[in-house]
Amino acid sequence: IQIQKAKGANVYKVVSPYGKGSFAFMIKSDGKTVVCPNQIVDVSSTYGNVTMSNVTGTVSGKIVTLKVGGFTVSAGSFGSGSEIITLP
């Protein structure tokens, strides 16, 4: 999985971790606070858009841990999960 970093900002993009879509998050200037808004990360042929929602995160060195509240679709949710990302 490819991780891209924006120039001049602590904004990162995780490229196609689930197939079609990508998602982005930001680490605030305090180096501890992760901001990750709800984002469409994939499209299910059965359920439509899959949204990664209610995400909270922590940073430890170059490791970002995202706790995903839910991967939601129009019919409900595929459940919650965690993503562990090593920054470039």
Side-chain angles (χ1 to χ4, degrees):
I1 293 177
Q2 182 182 11
I3 312 293
Q4 298 174 340
K5 183 182 183 306
K7 292 180 181 177
N10 285 329
V11 177
Y12 297 87
K13 180 178 180 182
V14 181
V15 180
S16 302
Y18 309 110
K20 297 177 185 169
S22 300
F23 70 90
F25 63 92
M26 178 179 80
I27 300 172
K28 287 193 165 188
S29 60
D30 64 7
K32 299 176 186 178
T33 306
V34 177
V35 177
C36 186
N38 295 353
Q39 299 170 67
I40 296 171
V41 294
D42 202 1
V43 178
S44 165
S45 60
T46 304
Y47 300 107
N49 290 340
V50 179
T51 300
M52 187 170 79
S53 58
N54 301 317
V55 179
T56 60
T58 59
V59 181
S60 179
K62 288 189 169 254
I63 305 296
V64 174
T65 302
L66 301 177
K67 292 185 180 181
V68 181
F71 292 95
T72 58
V73 294
S74 60
S77 175
F78 290 132
S80 59
S82 294
E83 298 294 335
I84 300 170
I85 301 161
T86 303
L87 300 176

